[in-house]
Amino acid sequence: MELLDQKRELRREILAQRASVSPEERQARSEQMCRHLLSFDRLRRCRTVMAYYPFREELDIVPFLDKALERGQEIWLPLTLPAERRIVPYIYTGPDMLKRGTYGILEPDPGLAAEGKAEDLDAVLVPGVAFDRRGGRMGYGAGYYDRFLSSLPHRPLLIGCSFDLQVQKAVPMEPHDISLDFLATESGIRETGQPDLS
């Protein structure tokens, strides 16, 4: 099977599994993952963190966003520019500065937010469809995050955020795909590239 076909099939399977999680279970698992993120020392020491606003059945990291802001961290959220096939980060100050974006995702309104400076970025919480313990990630297929991360002047701390059910033994990777440093799920946070003891 061709790599693109493998990705398409895996994406379909994982999204169907994720959609089958009940709203109550999704909330409980999301709260667990947010607690792990908030207590993760490496992330706590980061001054500037780019995150994302959850969409559809994605794990809800809004509790993390709120608490991180409370403790003085600067949070950025991405604005998607489909015509340019890129994302631009803006400083998040609360839900009042969000608008519905191209894909129906709540995104920063450029008229109400300041753009983040790439050189200041310390960490990125990366969403996706599937992940593996080696640091592999498969997104939704448009390549926005890989382009954004490869354009940065330095490599920030990269943490994939997902439900356990999205973690696979191996995710099909292409040469331009960027590997992650840590994977955060409702079970905890583990460094990628470590032996899988499960």
Side-chain angles (χ1 to χ4, degrees), residues 139-177:
Y140 292 90
Y144 285 106
Y145 273 86
D146 286 313
R147 280 192 293 277
F148 172 73
L149 295 173
S150 65
S151 74
L152 295 174
H154 66 278
R155 181 187 168 97
L157 177 69
L158 301 179
I159 304 173
C161 296
S162 81
F163 294 111
D164 283 326
L165 66 83
Q166 295 172 249
V167 182
Q168 306 295 297
K169 283 206 172 295
V171 168
M173 297 282 281
E174 297 179 68
H176 63 267
D177 292 334

PDB file of all heavy atoms in Angstrom, residues 139-177:
ATOM      1  N   GLY A 139      -0.879  14.282  11.078  1.00  0.00           N
ATOM      2  CA  GLY A 139      -1.884  15.315  11.249  1.00  0.00           C
ATOM      3  C   GLY A 139      -3.107  15.055  10.386  1.00  0.00           C
ATOM      4  O   GLY A 139      -3.406  13.914  10.024  1.00  0.00           O
ATOM      5  N   TYR A 140      -3.774  16.132  10.020  1.00  0.00           N
ATOM      6  CA  TYR A 140      -5.014  16.001   9.251  1.00  0.00           C
ATOM      7  C   TYR A 140      -4.770  15.996   7.744  1.00  0.00           C
ATOM      8  O   TYR A 140      -5.708  15.908   6.969  1.00  0.00           O
ATOM      9  CB  TYR A 140      -5.973  17.124   9.645  1.00  0.00           C
ATOM     10  CG  TYR A 140      -6.473  16.988  11.060  1.00  0.00           C
ATOM     11  CD1 TYR A 140      -5.779  17.575  12.120  1.00  0.00           C
ATOM     12  CD2 TYR A 140      -7.609  16.247  11.354  1.00  0.00           C
ATOM     13  CE1 TYR A 140      -6.219  17.435  13.429  1.00  0.00           C
ATOM     14  CE2 TYR A 140      -8.058  16.101  12.654  1.00  0.00           C
ATOM     15  CZ  TYR A 140      -7.361  16.696  13.684  1.00  0.00           C
ATOM     16  OH  TYR A 140      -7.792  16.541  14.980  1.00  0.00           O
ATOM     17  N   GLY A 141      -3.527  16.138   7.328  1.00  0.00           N
ATOM     18  CA  GLY A 141      -3.200  15.961   5.925  1.00  0.00           C
ATOM     19  C   GLY A 141      -2.800  17.210   5.159  1.00  0.00           C
ATOM     20  O   GLY A 141      -2.385  17.123   4.009  1.00  0.00           O
ATOM     21  N   ALA A 142      -2.894  18.386   5.806  1.00  0.00           N
ATOM     22  CA  ALA A 142      -2.583  19.624   5.081  1.00  0.00           C
ATOM     23  C   ALA A 142      -1.143  20.101   5.290  1.00  0.00           C
ATOM     24  O   ALA A 142      -0.663  20.979   4.576  1.00  0.00           O
ATOM     25  CB  ALA A 142      -3.553  20.731   5.478  1.00  0.00           C
ATOM     26  N   GLY A 143      -0.438  19.552   6.282  1.00  0.00           N
ATOM     27  CA  GLY A 143       0.973  19.881   6.485  1.00  0.00           C
ATOM     28  C   GLY A 143       1.256  21.209   7.153  1.00  0.00           C
ATOM     29  O   GLY A 143       2.399  21.675   7.152  1.00  0.00           O
ATOM     30  N   TYR A 144       0.239  21.844   7.751  1.00  0.00           N
ATOM     31  CA  TYR A 144       0.434  23.169   8.357  1.00  0.00           C
ATOM     32  C   TYR A 144       1.508  23.167   9.452  1.00  0.00           C
ATOM     33  O   TYR A 144       2.371  24.045   9.494  1.00  0.00           O
ATOM     34  CB  TYR A 144      -0.875  23.693   8.952  1.00  0.00           C
ATOM     35  CG  TYR A 144      -1.865  24.189   7.927  1.00  0.00           C
ATOM     36  CD1 TYR A 144      -2.994  23.447   7.601  1.00  0.00           C
ATOM     37  CD2 TYR A 144      -1.678  25.410   7.280  1.00  0.00           C
ATOM     38  CE1 TYR A 144      -3.913  23.899   6.655  1.00  0.00           C
ATOM     39  CE2 TYR A 144      -2.580  25.881   6.345  1.00  0.00           C
ATOM     40  CZ  TYR A 144      -3.697  25.112   6.034  1.00  0.00           C
ATOM     41  OH  TYR A 144      -4.595  25.564   5.105  1.00  0.00           O
ATOM     42  N   TYR A 145       1.433  22.187  10.349  1.00  0.00           N
ATOM     43  CA  TYR A 145       2.371  22.192  11.485  1.00  0.00           C
ATOM     44  C   TYR A 145       3.796  21.888  11.051  1.00  0.00           C
ATOM     45  O   TYR A 145       4.741  22.510  11.546  1.00  0.00           O
ATOM     46  CB  TYR A 145       1.910  21.217  12.582  1.00  0.00           C
ATOM     47  CG  TYR A 145       0.956  21.864  13.553  1.00  0.00           C
ATOM     48  CD1 TYR A 145      -0.407  21.901  13.297  1.00  0.00           C
ATOM     49  CD2 TYR A 145       1.429  22.484  14.710  1.00  0.00           C
ATOM     50  CE1 TYR A 145      -1.279  22.526  14.177  1.00  0.00           C
ATOM     51  CE2 TYR A 145       0.567  23.113  15.594  1.00  0.00           C
ATOM     52  CZ  TYR A 145      -0.789  23.131  15.319  1.00  0.00           C
ATOM     53  OH  TYR A 145      -1.639  23.757  16.194  1.00  0.00           O
ATOM     54  N   ASP A 146       3.979  20.951  10.131  1.00  0.00           N
ATOM     55  CA  ASP A 146       5.339  20.652   9.675  1.00  0.00           C
ATOM     56  C   ASP A 146       5.975  21.876   9.020  1.00  0.00           C
ATOM     57  O   ASP A 146       7.142  22.176   9.247  1.00  0.00           O
ATOM     58  CB  ASP A 146       5.332  19.465   8.697  1.00  0.00           C
ATOM     59  CG  ASP A 146       5.098  18.147   9.415  1.00  0.00           C
ATOM     60  OD1 ASP A 146       5.751  17.906  10.449  1.00  0.00           O
ATOM     61  OD2 ASP A 146       4.255  17.362   8.961  1.00  0.00           O
ATOM     62  N   ARG A 147       5.197  22.600   8.230  1.00  0.00           N
ATOM     63  CA  ARG A 147       5.735  23.818   7.595  1.00  0.00           C
ATOM     64  C   ARG A 147       6.051  24.871   8.648  1.00  0.00           C
ATOM     65  O   ARG A 147       7.089  25.530   8.581  1.00  0.00           O
ATOM     66  CB  ARG A 147       4.754  24.364   6.548  1.00  0.00           C
ATOM     67  CG  ARG A 147       4.814  23.646   5.215  1.00  0.00           C
ATOM     68  CD  ARG A 147       4.051  24.384   4.135  1.00  0.00           C
ATOM     69  NE  ARG A 147       2.619  24.398   4.394  1.00  0.00           N
ATOM     70  CZ  ARG A 147       1.791  23.402   4.086  1.00  0.00           C
ATOM     71  NH1 ARG A 147       2.261  22.317   3.489  1.00  0.00           N
ATOM     72  NH2 ARG A 147       0.501  23.494   4.341  1.00  0.00           N
ATOM     73  N   PHE A 148       5.139  25.044   9.613  1.00  0.00           N
ATOM     74  CA  PHE A 148       5.371  26.049  10.648  1.00  0.00           C
ATOM     75  C   PHE A 148       6.614  25.712  11.468  1.00  0.00           C
ATOM     76  O   PHE A 148       7.500  26.564  11.675  1.00  0.00           O
ATOM     77  CB  PHE A 148       4.151  26.154  11.573  1.00  0.00           C
ATOM     78  CG  PHE A 148       4.381  27.015  12.775  1.00  0.00           C
ATOM     79  CD1 PHE A 148       4.449  28.400  12.659  1.00  0.00           C
ATOM     80  CD2 PHE A 148       4.572  26.457  14.034  1.00  0.00           C
ATOM     81  CE1 PHE A 148       4.685  29.211  13.763  1.00  0.00           C
ATOM     82  CE2 PHE A 148       4.811  27.251  15.146  1.00  0.00           C
ATOM     83  CZ  PHE A 148       4.866  28.632  15.012  1.00  0.00           C
ATOM     84  N   LEU A 149       6.717  24.471  11.925  1.00  0.00           N
ATOM     85  CA  LEU A 149       7.839  24.090  12.786  1.00  0.00           C
ATOM     86  C   LEU A 149       9.169  24.178  12.048  1.00  0.00           C
ATOM     87  O   LEU A 149      10.181  24.581  12.622  1.00  0.00           O
ATOM     88  CB  LEU A 149       7.617  22.678  13.338  1.00  0.00           C
ATOM     89  CG  LEU A 149       6.411  22.520  14.283  1.00  0.00           C
ATOM     90  CD1 LEU A 149       6.194  21.050  14.637  1.00  0.00           C
ATOM     91  CD2 LEU A 149       6.575  23.358  15.547  1.00  0.00           C
ATOM     92  N   SER A 150       9.173  23.815  10.773  1.00  0.00           N
ATOM     93  CA  SER A 150      10.426  23.870  10.010  1.00  0.00           C
ATOM     94  C   SER A 150      10.850  25.303   9.704  1.00  0.00           C
ATOM     95  O   SER A 150      12.005  25.550   9.364  1.00  0.00           O
ATOM     96  CB  SER A 150      10.305  23.069   8.713  1.00  0.00           C
ATOM     97  OG  SER A 150       9.346  23.662   7.855  1.00  0.00           O
ATOM     98  N   SER A 151       9.923  26.265   9.853  1.00  0.00           N
ATOM     99  CA  SER A 151      10.251  27.665   9.565  1.00  0.00           C
ATOM    100  C   SER A 151      10.809  28.400  10.779  1.00  0.00           C
ATOM    101  O   SER A 151      11.283  29.525  10.661  1.00  0.00           O
ATOM    102  CB  SER A 151       8.982  28.407   9.095  1.00  0.00           C
ATOM    103  OG  SER A 151       8.099  28.653  10.193  1.00  0.00           O
ATOM    104  N   LEU A 152      10.760  27.771  11.968  1.00  0.00           N
ATOM    105  CA  LEU A 152      11.183  28.459  13.190  1.00  0.00           C
ATOM    106  C   LEU A 152      12.704  28.631  13.239  1.00  0.00           C
ATOM    107  O   LEU A 152      13.440  27.767  12.744  1.00  0.00           O
ATOM    108  CB  LEU A 152      10.719  27.673  14.418  1.00  0.00           C
ATOM    109  CG  LEU A 152       9.199  27.579  14.620  1.00  0.00           C
ATOM    110  CD1 LEU A 152       8.873  26.646  15.785  1.00  0.00           C
ATOM    111  CD2 LEU A 152       8.601  28.964  14.853  1.00  0.00           C
ATOM    112  N   PRO A 153      13.188  29.704  13.857  1.00  0.00           N
ATOM    113  CA  PRO A 153      14.632  29.935  13.937  1.00  0.00           C
ATOM    114  C   PRO A 153      15.337  28.975  14.895  1.00  0.00           C
ATOM    115  O   PRO A 153      16.551  28.827  14.843  1.00  0.00           O
ATOM    116  CB  PRO A 153      14.735  31.384  14.444  1.00  0.00           C
ATOM    117  CG  PRO A 153      13.441  31.647  15.139  1.00  0.00           C
ATOM    118  CD  PRO A 153      12.415  30.833  14.411  1.00  0.00           C
ATOM    119  N   HIS A 154      14.612  28.326  15.773  1.00  0.00           N
ATOM    120  CA  HIS A 154      15.180  27.320  16.666  1.00  0.00           C
ATOM    121  C   HIS A 154      14.090  26.292  16.965  1.00  0.00           C
ATOM    122  O   HIS A 154      12.911  26.541  16.731  1.00  0.00           O
ATOM    123  CB  HIS A 154      15.656  27.961  17.983  1.00  0.00           C
ATOM    124  CG  HIS A 154      14.537  28.503  18.809  1.00  0.00           C
ATOM    125  ND1 HIS A 154      13.973  29.738  18.568  1.00  0.00           N
ATOM    126  CD2 HIS A 154      13.839  27.972  19.847  1.00  0.00           C
ATOM    127  CE1 HIS A 154      12.990  29.951  19.438  1.00  0.00           C
ATOM    128  NE2 HIS A 154      12.878  28.894  20.217  1.00  0.00           N
ATOM    129  N   ARG A 155      14.495  25.135  17.472  1.00  0.00           N
ATOM    130  CA  ARG A 155      13.526  24.085  17.761  1.00  0.00           C
ATOM    131  C   ARG A 155      13.001  24.235  19.194  1.00  0.00           C
ATOM    132  O   ARG A 155      13.768  24.127  20.160  1.00  0.00           O
ATOM    133  CB  ARG A 155      14.177  22.706  17.606  1.00  0.00           C
ATOM    134  CG  ARG A 155      13.197  21.552  17.884  1.00  0.00           C
ATOM    135  CD  ARG A 155      13.919  20.203  17.885  1.00  0.00           C
ATOM    136  NE  ARG A 155      13.069  19.152  18.407  1.00  0.00           N
ATOM    137  CZ  ARG A 155      12.352  18.317  17.666  1.00  0.00           C
ATOM    138  NH1 ARG A 155      12.392  18.426  16.351  1.00  0.00           N
ATOM    139  NH2 ARG A 155      11.614  17.378  18.223  1.00  0.00           N
ATOM    140  N   PRO A 156      11.700  24.476  19.359  1.00  0.00           N
ATOM    141  CA  PRO A 156      11.140  24.524  20.704  1.00  0.00           C
ATOM    142  C   PRO A 156      10.869  23.108  21.221  1.00  0.00           C
ATOM    143  O   PRO A 156      11.034  22.126  20.486  1.00  0.00           O
ATOM    144  CB  PRO A 156       9.823  25.287  20.500  1.00  0.00           C
ATOM    145  CG  PRO A 156       9.435  24.981  19.085  1.00  0.00           C
ATOM    146  CD  PRO A 156      10.710  24.762  18.322  1.00  0.00           C
ATOM    147  N   LEU A 157      10.459  23.000  22.459  1.00  0.00           N
ATOM    148  CA  LEU A 157      10.011  21.734  23.031  1.00  0.00           C
ATOM    149  C   LEU A 157       8.703  21.353  22.330  1.00  0.00           C
ATOM    150  O   LEU A 157       7.778  22.157  22.272  1.00  0.00           O
ATOM    151  CB  LEU A 157       9.779  21.916  24.535  1.00  0.00           C
ATOM    152  CG  LEU A 157       9.235  20.722  25.319  1.00  0.00           C
ATOM    153  CD1 LEU A 157      10.284  19.620  25.398  1.00  0.00           C
ATOM    154  CD2 LEU A 157       8.827  21.167  26.729  1.00  0.00           C
ATOM    155  N   LEU A 158       8.632  20.131  21.792  1.00  0.00           N
ATOM    156  CA  LEU A 158       7.456  19.701  21.028  1.00  0.00           C
ATOM    157  C   LEU A 158       6.740  18.577  21.767  1.00  0.00           C
ATOM    158  O   LEU A 158       7.322  17.512  22.003  1.00  0.00           O
ATOM    159  CB  LEU A 158       7.858  19.234  19.629  1.00  0.00           C
ATOM    160  CG  LEU A 158       8.586  20.261  18.752  1.00  0.00           C
ATOM    161  CD1 LEU A 158       8.945  19.651  17.405  1.00  0.00           C
ATOM    162  CD2 LEU A 158       7.745  21.519  18.565  1.00  0.00           C
ATOM    163  N   ILE A 159       5.479  18.814  22.120  1.00  0.00           N
ATOM    164  CA  ILE A 159       4.696  17.848  22.884  1.00  0.00           C
ATOM    165  C   ILE A 159       3.416  17.524  22.122  1.00  0.00           C
ATOM    166  O   ILE A 159       2.574  18.396  21.895  1.00  0.00           O
ATOM    167  CB  ILE A 159       4.325  18.404  24.275  1.00  0.00           C
ATOM    168  CG1 ILE A 159       5.584  18.823  25.037  1.00  0.00           C
ATOM    169  CG2 ILE A 159       3.521  17.371  25.075  1.00  0.00           C
ATOM    170  CD1 ILE A 159       5.296  19.545  26.347  1.00  0.00           C
ATOM    171  N   GLY A 160       3.262  16.271  21.713  1.00  0.00           N
ATOM    172  CA  GLY A 160       2.036  15.840  21.067  1.00  0.00           C
ATOM    173  C   GLY A 160       0.960  15.617  22.112  1.00  0.00           C
ATOM    174  O   GLY A 160       1.236  15.097  23.194  1.00  0.00           O
ATOM    175  N   CYS A 161      -0.269  16.002  21.815  1.00  0.00           N
ATOM    176  CA  CYS A 161      -1.389  15.865  22.754  1.00  0.00           C
ATOM    177  C   CYS A 161      -2.474  14.996  22.119  1.00  0.00           C
ATOM    178  O   CYS A 161      -2.970  15.328  21.034  1.00  0.00           O
ATOM    179  CB  CYS A 161      -1.967  17.227  23.094  1.00  0.00           C
ATOM    180  SG  CYS A 161      -0.817  18.326  23.953  1.00  0.00           S
ATOM    181  N   SER A 162      -2.827  13.911  22.802  1.00  0.00           N
ATOM    182  CA  SER A 162      -3.835  13.029  22.230  1.00  0.00           C
ATOM    183  C   SER A 162      -4.421  12.097  23.286  1.00  0.00           C
ATOM    184  O   SER A 162      -3.910  12.013  24.407  1.00  0.00           O
ATOM    185  CB  SER A 162      -3.221  12.181  21.106  1.00  0.00           C
ATOM    186  OG  SER A 162      -2.520  11.068  21.630  1.00  0.00           O
ATOM    187  N   PHE A 163      -5.461  11.386  22.903  1.00  0.00           N
ATOM    188  CA  PHE A 163      -5.968  10.296  23.720  1.00  0.00           C
ATOM    189  C   PHE A 163      -5.063   9.082  23.532  1.00  0.00           C
ATOM    190  O   PHE A 163      -4.405   8.935  22.496  1.00  0.00           O
ATOM    191  CB  PHE A 163      -7.389   9.912  23.284  1.00  0.00           C
ATOM    192  CG  PHE A 163      -8.418  10.973  23.530  1.00  0.00           C
ATOM    193  CD1 PHE A 163      -9.010  11.641  22.467  1.00  0.00           C
ATOM    194  CD2 PHE A 163      -8.810  11.302  24.820  1.00  0.00           C
ATOM    195  CE1 PHE A 163      -9.976  12.612  22.682  1.00  0.00           C
ATOM    196  CE2 PHE A 163      -9.772  12.279  25.046  1.00  0.00           C
ATOM    197  CZ  PHE A 163     -10.347  12.928  23.980  1.00  0.00           C
ATOM    198  N   ASP A 164      -5.044   8.191  24.508  1.00  0.00           N
ATOM    199  CA  ASP A 164      -4.270   6.950  24.373  1.00  0.00           C
ATOM    200  C   ASP A 164      -4.651   6.193  23.105  1.00  0.00           C
ATOM    201  O   ASP A 164      -3.795   5.585  22.454  1.00  0.00           O
ATOM    202  CB  ASP A 164      -4.503   6.034  25.588  1.00  0.00           C
ATOM    203  CG  ASP A 164      -3.730   6.481  26.819  1.00  0.00           C
ATOM    204  OD1 ASP A 164      -2.613   7.015  26.666  1.00  0.00           O
ATOM    205  OD2 ASP A 164      -4.239   6.300  27.940  1.00  0.00           O
ATOM    206  N   LEU A 165      -5.928   6.206  22.749  1.00  0.00           N
ATOM    207  CA  LEU A 165      -6.380   5.425  21.593  1.00  0.00           C
ATOM    208  C   LEU A 165      -5.775   5.916  20.281  1.00  0.00           C
ATOM    209  O   LEU A 165      -5.803   5.201  19.270  1.00  0.00           O
ATOM    210  CB  LEU A 165      -7.913   5.426  21.513  1.00  0.00           C
ATOM    211  CG  LEU A 165      -8.660   6.741  21.232  1.00  0.00           C
ATOM    212  CD1 LEU A 165      -8.737   7.070  19.754  1.00  0.00           C
ATOM    213  CD2 LEU A 165     -10.059   6.673  21.817  1.00  0.00           C
ATOM    214  N   GLN A 166      -5.208   7.127  20.277  1.00  0.00           N
ATOM    215  CA  GLN A 166      -4.585   7.658  19.065  1.00  0.00           C
ATOM    216  C   GLN A 166      -3.116   7.264  18.934  1.00  0.00           C
ATOM    217  O   GLN A 166      -2.495   7.527  17.908  1.00  0.00           O
ATOM    218  CB  GLN A 166      -4.695   9.194  19.046  1.00  0.00           C
ATOM    219  CG  GLN A 166      -6.117   9.713  18.960  1.00  0.00           C
ATOM    220  CD  GLN A 166      -6.189  11.219  19.141  1.00  0.00           C
ATOM    221  OE1 GLN A 166      -6.689  11.709  20.147  1.00  0.00           O
ATOM    222  NE2 GLN A 166      -5.669  11.967  18.177  1.00  0.00           N
ATOM    223  N   VAL A 167      -2.572   6.626  19.978  1.00  0.00           N
ATOM    224  CA  VAL A 167      -1.156   6.236  19.960  1.00  0.00           C
ATOM    225  C   VAL A 167      -1.022   4.856  19.319  1.00  0.00           C
ATOM    226  O   VAL A 167      -1.593   3.881  19.796  1.00  0.00           O
ATOM    227  CB  VAL A 167      -0.562   6.237  21.384  1.00  0.00           C
ATOM    228  CG1 VAL A 167       0.916   5.872  21.329  1.00  0.00           C
ATOM    229  CG2 VAL A 167      -0.753   7.601  22.036  1.00  0.00           C
ATOM    230  N   GLN A 168      -0.250   4.792  18.230  1.00  0.00           N
ATOM    231  CA  GLN A 168      -0.059   3.570  17.452  1.00  0.00           C
ATOM    232  C   GLN A 168       1.352   3.024  17.640  1.00  0.00           C
ATOM    233  O   GLN A 168       2.231   3.724  18.135  1.00  0.00           O
ATOM    234  CB  GLN A 168      -0.288   3.882  15.963  1.00  0.00           C
ATOM    235  CG  GLN A 168      -1.620   4.534  15.662  1.00  0.00           C
ATOM    236  CD  GLN A 168      -2.788   3.632  15.953  1.00  0.00           C
ATOM    237  OE1 GLN A 168      -2.928   2.585  15.337  1.00  0.00           O
ATOM    238  NE2 GLN A 168      -3.622   4.019  16.909  1.00  0.00           N
ATOM    239  N   LYS A 169       1.565   1.783  17.229  1.00  0.00           N
ATOM    240  CA  LYS A 169       2.928   1.223  17.298  1.00  0.00           C
ATOM    241  C   LYS A 169       3.863   1.992  16.372  1.00  0.00           C
ATOM    242  O   LYS A 169       5.011   2.233  16.703  1.00  0.00           O
ATOM    243  CB  LYS A 169       2.911  -0.261  16.926  1.00  0.00           C
ATOM    244  CG  LYS A 169       2.406  -1.156  18.036  1.00  0.00           C
ATOM    245  CD  LYS A 169       2.982  -2.551  17.906  1.00  0.00           C
ATOM    246  CE  LYS A 169       2.644  -3.416  19.102  1.00  0.00           C
ATOM    247  NZ  LYS A 169       3.262  -2.933  20.346  1.00  0.00           N
ATOM    248  N   ALA A 170       3.367   2.346  15.203  1.00  0.00           N
ATOM    249  CA  ALA A 170       4.179   3.123  14.258  1.00  0.00           C
ATOM    250  C   ALA A 170       3.259   3.935  13.360  1.00  0.00           C
ATOM    251  O   ALA A 170       2.250   3.428  12.880  1.00  0.00           O
ATOM    252  CB  ALA A 170       5.055   2.208  13.415  1.00  0.00           C
ATOM    253  N   VAL A 171       3.618   5.197  13.167  1.00  0.00           N
ATOM    254  CA  VAL A 171       2.880   6.089  12.277  1.00  0.00           C
ATOM    255  C   VAL A 171       3.696   6.253  11.003  1.00  0.00           C
ATOM    256  O   VAL A 171       4.909   6.470  11.071  1.00  0.00           O
ATOM    257  CB  VAL A 171       2.661   7.466  12.959  1.00  0.00           C
ATOM    258  CG1 VAL A 171       2.164   8.499  11.967  1.00  0.00           C
ATOM    259  CG2 VAL A 171       1.669   7.335  14.108  1.00  0.00           C
ATOM    260  N   PRO A 172       3.084   6.101   9.819  1.00  0.00           N
ATOM    261  CA  PRO A 172       3.844   6.307   8.575  1.00  0.00           C
ATOM    262  C   PRO A 172       4.378   7.723   8.485  1.00  0.00           C
ATOM    263  O   PRO A 172       3.630   8.679   8.641  1.00  0.00           O
ATOM    264  CB  PRO A 172       2.816   6.017   7.470  1.00  0.00           C
ATOM    265  CG  PRO A 172       1.472   6.053   8.127  1.00  0.00           C
ATOM    266  CD  PRO A 172       1.671   5.764   9.565  1.00  0.00           C
ATOM    267  N   MET A 173       5.685   7.833   8.286  1.00  0.00           N
ATOM    268  CA  MET A 173       6.338   9.148   8.265  1.00  0.00           C
ATOM    269  C   MET A 173       6.959   9.417   6.896  1.00  0.00           C
ATOM    270  O   MET A 173       7.389   8.495   6.202  1.00  0.00           O
ATOM    271  CB  MET A 173       7.439   9.198   9.338  1.00  0.00           C
ATOM    272  CG  MET A 173       6.938   9.060  10.763  1.00  0.00           C
ATOM    273  SD  MET A 173       6.211  10.577  11.401  1.00  0.00           S
ATOM    274  CE  MET A 173       7.689  11.509  11.810  1.00  0.00           C
ATOM    275  N   GLU A 174       7.016  10.697   6.541  1.00  0.00           N
ATOM    276  CA  GLU A 174       7.696  11.147   5.327  1.00  0.00           C
ATOM    277  C   GLU A 174       8.915  11.971   5.745  1.00  0.00           C
ATOM    278  O   GLU A 174       9.005  12.419   6.891  1.00  0.00           O
ATOM    279  CB  GLU A 174       6.737  11.973   4.476  1.00  0.00           C
ATOM    280  CG  GLU A 174       5.530  11.184   3.975  1.00  0.00           C
ATOM    281  CD  GLU A 174       4.588  12.035   3.150  1.00  0.00           C
ATOM    282  OE1 GLU A 174       4.970  12.444   2.040  1.00  0.00           O
ATOM    283  OE2 GLU A 174       3.466  12.289   3.631  1.00  0.00           O
ATOM    284  N   PRO A 175       9.871  12.173   4.831  1.00  0.00           N
ATOM    285  CA  PRO A 175      11.112  12.871   5.202  1.00  0.00           C
ATOM    286  C   PRO A 175      10.903  14.249   5.814  1.00  0.00           C
ATOM    287  O   PRO A 175      11.677  14.670   6.673  1.00  0.00           O
ATOM    288  CB  PRO A 175      11.858  12.969   3.865  1.00  0.00           C
ATOM    289  CG  PRO A 175      11.346  11.824   3.048  1.00  0.00           C
ATOM    290  CD  PRO A 175       9.915  11.664   3.455  1.00  0.00           C
ATOM    291  N   HIS A 176       9.847  14.959   5.394  1.00  0.00           N
ATOM    292  CA  HIS A 176       9.632  16.325   5.906  1.00  0.00           C
ATOM    293  C   HIS A 176       8.896  16.337   7.247  1.00  0.00           C
ATOM    294  O   HIS A 176       8.774  17.394   7.868  1.00  0.00           O
ATOM    295  CB  HIS A 176       8.845  17.160   4.887  1.00  0.00           C
ATOM    296  CG  HIS A 176       7.470  16.627   4.618  1.00  0.00           C
ATOM    297  ND1 HIS A 176       7.211  15.760   3.577  1.00  0.00           N
ATOM    298  CD2 HIS A 176       6.290  16.809   5.259  1.00  0.00           C
ATOM    299  CE1 HIS A 176       5.938  15.450   3.591  1.00  0.00           C
ATOM    300  NE2 HIS A 176       5.344  16.066   4.600  1.00  0.00           N
ATOM    301  N   ASP A 177       8.401  15.191   7.706  1.00  0.00           N
ATOM    302  CA  ASP A 177       7.665  15.133   8.973  1.00  0.00           C
ATOM    303  C   ASP A 177       8.609  15.361  10.147  1.00  0.00           C
ATOM    304  O   ASP A 177       9.709  14.794  10.190  1.00  0.00           O
ATOM    305  CB  ASP A 177       6.966  13.780   9.136  1.00  0.00           C
ATOM    306  CG  ASP A 177       5.827  13.590   8.143  1.00  0.00           C
ATOM    307  OD1 ASP A 177       5.272  14.610   7.696  1.00  0.00           O
ATOM    308  OD2 ASP A 177       5.505  12.437   7.816  1.00  0.00           O
TER     309      ASP A 177
END
